Every structure is written in C-alpha cells, then in structure tokens.
Amino acid sequence: VDGRTLRLVTDGGTLVPVRLEGVEVPTDAPRAQAMAAALKKLVQGRQVRVGFRVRDDDGFVLGQVTCGKRNVNEVLAKGTAVKGAAVSP
C-alpha cells in the first residue's frame, strides 16, 4: 500500500493488513515511492514474521516485521533500504 504497510497472506490464505511500527512515510512523492519500492523489494515473495502488537483504528495489525534475520521496521526507519527515503522520527 505504501512504505509502511503490507498486505500479508497467512498460511491459511487469510489476507492481513500490517502497518510497520515506528516507520513513517516521507511526505514528498519521490521519497515515498522509493520507500514503498524498498519495502516491496525487502519482503515480496518471502516468508516474514510479524511481532503482533495491537490493531490500530483502521484495523491494521501494528507490529514488527522480520524477514530472515532482518528487522524490516529498523531497515526502513533508518533509511538503509533506500538512500534518501528515511525520515526523522
């Protein structure tokens, strides 16, 4: 959906919307698009784990996402996935 939101499919086939805790999307379009592309590159087609926290007011699961040994939230929050896409917390 954007640089901090995933739609994951569980092993049972259920679609689960997940927001990455602690990740903010840049407000300018080029950086926001770069961040979304970086997120897609990090997780698309890969098995991920979600450390479930809570559901937000929009019904999204809010949590920490890991892919292998990589914490996706940290990678995106620090801007190490794509140069120029990070925003200050």
Side-chain angles (χ1 to χ4, degrees), residues 1 5-6 9-10 13-14 20 27 29-30 34 40 42 45-46 51 55 59-60 68-69 74 79 82 86-88:
V1 176
T5 308
L6 302 170
V9 179
T10 66
T14 303
L20 303 177
T27 55
K40 183 177 179 179
L42 284 168
R46 294 181 172 93
R55 284 197 183 265
F60 287 85
K69 293 182 180 182
E74 289 178 6
V82 57
V87 291
S88 299

mmCIF file of all heavy atoms in Angstrom, residues 1 5-6 9-10 13-14 20 27 29-30 34 40 42 45-46 51 55 59-60 68-69 74 79 82 86-88:
data_model
loop_
_atom_site.group_PDB
_atom_site.id
_atom_site.type_symbol
_atom_site.label_atom_id
_atom_site.label_comp_id
_atom_site.label_asym_id
_atom_site.label_seq_id
_atom_site.Cartn_x
_atom_site.Cartn_y
_atom_site.Cartn_z
ATOM 1 N N VAL A 1 0.830 -1.189 0.000
ATOM 2 C CA VAL A 1 0.000 0.000 0.000
ATOM 3 C C VAL A 1 0.872 1.250 0.000
ATOM 4 O O VAL A 1 0.703 2.137 -0.805
ATOM 5 C CB VAL A 1 -0.961 0.004 1.215
ATOM 6 C CG1 VAL A 1 -1.747 1.276 1.272
ATOM 7 C CG2 VAL A 1 -1.875 -1.192 1.139
ATOM 8 N N THR A 5 3.220 -0.133 5.024
ATOM 9 C CA THR A 5 2.066 -1.016 5.108
ATOM 10 C C THR A 5 2.238 -2.215 4.183
ATOM 11 O O THR A 5 2.639 -2.063 3.036
ATOM 12 C CB THR A 5 0.777 -0.263 4.719
ATOM 13 O OG1 THR A 5 0.681 0.933 5.488
ATOM 14 C CG2 THR A 5 -0.451 -1.114 4.972
ATOM 15 N N LEU A 6 1.921 -3.391 4.692
ATOM 16 C CA LEU A 6 1.967 -4.637 3.932
ATOM 17 C C LEU A 6 0.596 -5.288 3.955
ATOM 18 O O LEU A 6 -0.175 -5.091 4.895
ATOM 19 C CB LEU A 6 2.932 -5.631 4.576
ATOM 20 C CG LEU A 6 4.371 -5.245 4.764
ATOM 21 C CD1 LEU A 6 5.054 -6.289 5.640
ATOM 22 C CD2 LEU A 6 5.049 -5.163 3.431
ATOM 23 N N VAL A 9 -0.423 -12.598 3.345
ATOM 24 C CA VAL A 9 -1.318 -13.745 3.242
ATOM 25 C C VAL A 9 -0.797 -14.811 4.196
ATOM 26 O O VAL A 9 0.361 -15.217 4.098
ATOM 27 C CB VAL A 9 -1.371 -14.291 1.799
ATOM 28 C CG1 VAL A 9 -2.296 -15.494 1.720
ATOM 29 C CG2 VAL A 9 -1.815 -13.201 0.829
ATOM 30 N N THR A 10 -1.650 -15.244 5.118
ATOM 31 C CA THR A 10 -1.255 -16.269 6.080
ATOM 32 C C THR A 10 -1.192 -17.634 5.395
ATOM 33 O O THR A 10 -1.666 -17.791 4.263
ATOM 34 C CB THR A 10 -2.249 -16.351 7.253
ATOM 35 O OG1 THR A 10 -3.512 -16.822 6.747
ATOM 36 C CG2 THR A 10 -2.422 -15.011 7.936
ATOM 37 N N GLY A 13 -4.362 -18.661 4.038
ATOM 38 C CA GLY A 13 -4.935 -17.903 2.939
ATOM 39 C C GLY A 13 -5.647 -16.619 3.337
ATOM 40 O O GLY A 13 -6.244 -15.956 2.504
ATOM 41 N N THR A 14 -5.569 -16.240 4.614
ATOM 42 C CA THR A 14 -6.222 -15.029 5.090
ATOM 43 C C THR A 14 -5.344 -13.814 4.786
ATOM 44 O O THR A 14 -4.141 -13.838 5.027
ATOM 45 C CB THR A 14 -6.463 -15.112 6.609
ATOM 46 O OG1 THR A 14 -7.244 -16.275 6.885
ATOM 47 C CG2 THR A 14 -7.183 -13.880 7.126
ATOM 48 N N LEU A 20 3.876 -1.197 9.745
ATOM 49 C CA LEU A 20 5.160 -1.336 10.401
ATOM 50 C C LEU A 20 5.288 -0.309 11.519
ATOM 51 O O LEU A 20 5.280 0.895 11.265
ATOM 52 C CB LEU A 20 6.298 -1.152 9.404
ATOM 53 C CG LEU A 20 6.287 -2.100 8.200
ATOM 54 C CD1 LEU A 20 7.420 -1.768 7.264
ATOM 55 C CD2 LEU A 20 6.356 -3.537 8.639
ATOM 56 N N THR A 27 6.794 12.607 3.213
ATOM 57 C CA THR A 27 5.650 13.317 2.639
ATOM 58 C C THR A 27 5.838 13.647 1.165
ATOM 59 O O THR A 27 4.855 13.818 0.457
ATOM 60 C CB THR A 27 5.368 14.615 3.415
ATOM 61 O OG1 THR A 27 6.560 15.396 3.440
ATOM 62 C CG2 THR A 27 4.919 14.310 4.832
ATOM 63 N N ALA A 29 6.511 12.876 -2.693
ATOM 64 C CA ALA A 29 6.193 11.716 -3.523
ATOM 65 C C ALA A 29 7.399 10.887 -3.947
ATOM 66 O O ALA A 29 7.354 9.653 -3.837
ATOM 67 C CB ALA A 29 5.374 12.142 -4.731
ATOM 68 N N PRO A 30 8.497 11.479 -4.438
ATOM 69 C CA PRO A 30 9.614 10.624 -4.877
ATOM 70 C C PRO A 30 10.192 9.757 -3.757
ATOM 71 O O PRO A 30 10.468 8.581 -3.950
ATOM 72 C CB PRO A 30 10.657 11.630 -5.385
ATOM 73 C CG PRO A 30 9.871 12.832 -5.768
ATOM 74 C CD PRO A 30 8.736 12.885 -4.776
ATOM 75 N N ALA A 34 10.003 5.697 -3.369
ATOM 76 C CA ALA A 34 11.239 4.935 -3.184
ATOM 77 C C ALA A 34 11.138 4.029 -1.958
ATOM 78 O O ALA A 34 11.605 2.890 -1.979
ATOM 79 C CB ALA A 34 12.427 5.883 -3.047
ATOM 80 N N LYS A 40 8.787 -3.289 -0.777
ATOM 81 C CA LYS A 40 8.401 -4.376 -1.670
ATOM 82 C C LYS A 40 9.591 -5.282 -1.968
ATOM 83 O O LYS A 40 9.494 -6.502 -1.913
ATOM 84 C CB LYS A 40 7.833 -3.795 -2.968
ATOM 85 C CG LYS A 40 7.325 -4.813 -3.936
ATOM 86 C CD LYS A 40 6.714 -4.110 -5.151
ATOM 87 C CE LYS A 40 6.203 -5.117 -6.163
ATOM 88 N NZ LYS A 40 5.602 -4.443 -7.325
ATOM 89 N N LEU A 42 12.229 -5.761 -0.152
ATOM 90 C CA LEU A 42 12.647 -6.479 1.060
ATOM 91 C C LEU A 42 11.790 -7.706 1.344
ATOM 92 O O LEU A 42 12.301 -8.703 1.851
ATOM 93 C CB LEU A 42 12.570 -5.551 2.275
ATOM 94 C CG LEU A 42 13.675 -4.524 2.427
ATOM 95 C CD1 LEU A 42 13.290 -3.498 3.498
ATOM 96 C CD2 LEU A 42 14.986 -5.202 2.794
ATOM 97 N N GLY A 45 7.385 -11.969 -1.932
ATOM 98 C CA GLY A 45 7.688 -13.357 -2.237
ATOM 99 C C GLY A 45 8.470 -14.089 -1.168
ATOM 100 O O GLY A 45 8.852 -15.229 -1.351
ATOM 101 N N ARG A 46 8.703 -13.422 -0.047
ATOM 102 C CA ARG A 46 9.471 -14.029 1.041
ATOM 103 C C ARG A 46 8.571 -14.308 2.241
ATOM 104 O O ARG A 46 7.581 -13.634 2.449
ATOM 105 C CB ARG A 46 10.598 -13.093 1.457
ATOM 106 C CG ARG A 46 11.646 -12.894 0.384
ATOM 107 C CD ARG A 46 12.756 -11.978 0.872
ATOM 108 N NE ARG A 46 13.847 -11.922 -0.061
ATOM 109 C CZ ARG A 46 13.961 -11.016 -1.012
ATOM 110 N NH1 ARG A 46 13.046 -10.077 -1.159
ATOM 111 N NH2 ARG A 46 14.992 -11.027 -1.829
ATOM 112 N N GLY A 51 5.650 -9.602 14.618
ATOM 113 C CA GLY A 51 5.510 -9.499 16.071
ATOM 114 C C GLY A 51 4.310 -8.613 16.332
ATOM 115 O O GLY A 51 4.425 -7.396 16.309
ATOM 116 N N ARG A 55 -4.106 -3.794 17.057
ATOM 117 C CA ARG A 55 -4.746 -3.315 15.823
ATOM 118 C C ARG A 55 -4.989 -1.826 15.998
ATOM 119 O O ARG A 55 -5.431 -1.381 17.040
ATOM 120 C CB ARG A 55 -6.066 -4.029 15.563
ATOM 121 C CG ARG A 55 -5.877 -5.426 15.041
ATOM 122 C CD ARG A 55 -7.153 -5.959 14.399
ATOM 123 N NE ARG A 55 -6.973 -7.313 13.976
ATOM 124 C CZ ARG A 55 -6.618 -7.666 12.744
ATOM 125 N NH1 ARG A 55 -6.443 -6.759 11.823
ATOM 126 N NH2 ARG A 55 -6.459 -8.923 12.420
ATOM 127 N N GLY A 59 -7.931 -0.873 11.624
ATOM 128 C CA GLY A 59 -7.998 -2.323 11.524
ATOM 129 C C GLY A 59 -6.706 -2.993 11.113
ATOM 130 O O GLY A 59 -6.659 -4.201 10.904
ATOM 131 N N PHE A 60 -5.624 -2.221 10.975
ATOM 132 C CA PHE A 60 -4.338 -2.795 10.610
ATOM 133 C C PHE A 60 -3.648 -3.369 11.843
ATOM 134 O O PHE A 60 -3.723 -2.803 12.917
ATOM 135 C CB PHE A 60 -3.412 -1.720 10.015
ATOM 136 C CG PHE A 60 -3.795 -1.284 8.635
ATOM 137 C CD1 PHE A 60 -4.747 -0.300 8.445
ATOM 138 C CD2 PHE A 60 -3.193 -1.852 7.527
ATOM 139 C CE1 PHE A 60 -5.093 0.120 7.172
ATOM 140 C CE2 PHE A 60 -3.530 -1.439 6.251
ATOM 141 C CZ PHE A 60 -4.491 -0.451 6.074
ATOM 142 N N GLY A 68 13.767 -13.236 7.490
ATOM 143 C CA GLY A 68 15.034 -13.875 7.826
ATOM 144 C C GLY A 68 15.515 -13.306 9.142
ATOM 145 O O GLY A 68 14.771 -13.253 10.111
ATOM 146 N N LYS A 69 16.750 -12.816 9.181
ATOM 147 C CA LYS A 69 17.285 -12.207 10.400
ATOM 148 C C LYS A 69 17.174 -10.691 10.368
ATOM 149 O O LYS A 69 17.633 -10.009 11.268
ATOM 150 C CB LYS A 69 18.752 -12.603 10.574
ATOM 151 C CG LYS A 69 18.933 -14.075 10.845
ATOM 152 C CD LYS A 69 20.383 -14.417 11.053
ATOM 153 C CE LYS A 69 20.532 -15.912 11.331
ATOM 154 N NZ LYS A 69 21.925 -16.275 11.576
ATOM 155 N N GLU A 74 13.275 -1.688 11.268
ATOM 156 C CA GLU A 74 14.523 -0.959 11.523
ATOM 157 C C GLU A 74 15.197 -0.527 10.226
ATOM 158 O O GLU A 74 15.694 0.593 10.123
ATOM 159 C CB GLU A 74 15.479 -1.806 12.354
ATOM 160 C CG GLU A 74 15.045 -1.975 13.785
ATOM 161 C CD GLU A 74 15.989 -2.853 14.586
ATOM 162 O OE1 GLU A 74 17.061 -3.258 14.055
ATOM 163 O OE2 GLU A 74 15.667 -3.144 15.746
ATOM 164 N N GLY A 79 16.478 4.124 7.064
ATOM 165 C CA GLY A 79 16.750 4.538 5.692
ATOM 166 C C GLY A 79 17.829 3.743 5.007
ATOM 167 O O GLY A 79 18.322 4.122 3.951
ATOM 168 N N VAL A 82 16.879 2.263 1.275
ATOM 169 C CA VAL A 82 16.894 3.121 0.089
ATOM 170 C C VAL A 82 17.438 4.495 0.487
ATOM 171 O O VAL A 82 16.962 5.103 1.437
ATOM 172 C CB VAL A 82 15.502 3.240 -0.552
ATOM 173 C CG1 VAL A 82 14.471 3.755 0.403
ATOM 174 C CG2 VAL A 82 15.533 4.101 -1.787
ATOM 175 N N ALA A 86 14.608 7.833 4.138
ATOM 176 C CA ALA A 86 14.361 7.856 5.575
ATOM 177 C C ALA A 86 13.806 9.206 6.001
ATOM 178 O O ALA A 86 14.067 10.226 5.385
ATOM 179 C CB ALA A 86 15.650 7.596 6.339
ATOM 180 N N VAL A 87 13.011 9.173 7.050
ATOM 181 C CA VAL A 87 12.517 10.405 7.659
ATOM 182 C C VAL A 87 12.859 10.375 9.128
ATOM 183 O O VAL A 87 13.014 9.322 9.714
ATOM 184 C CB VAL A 87 10.988 10.566 7.466
ATOM 185 C CG1 VAL A 87 10.656 10.822 6.038
ATOM 186 C CG2 VAL A 87 10.234 9.371 7.991
ATOM 187 N N SER A 88 12.976 11.515 9.716
ATOM 188 C CA SER A 88 13.279 11.576 11.138
ATOM 189 C C SER A 88 12.047 11.210 11.944
ATOM 190 O O SER A 88 10.947 11.593 11.590
ATOM 191 C CB SER A 88 13.714 12.989 11.521
ATOM 192 O OG SER A 88 14.876 13.315 10.809
#
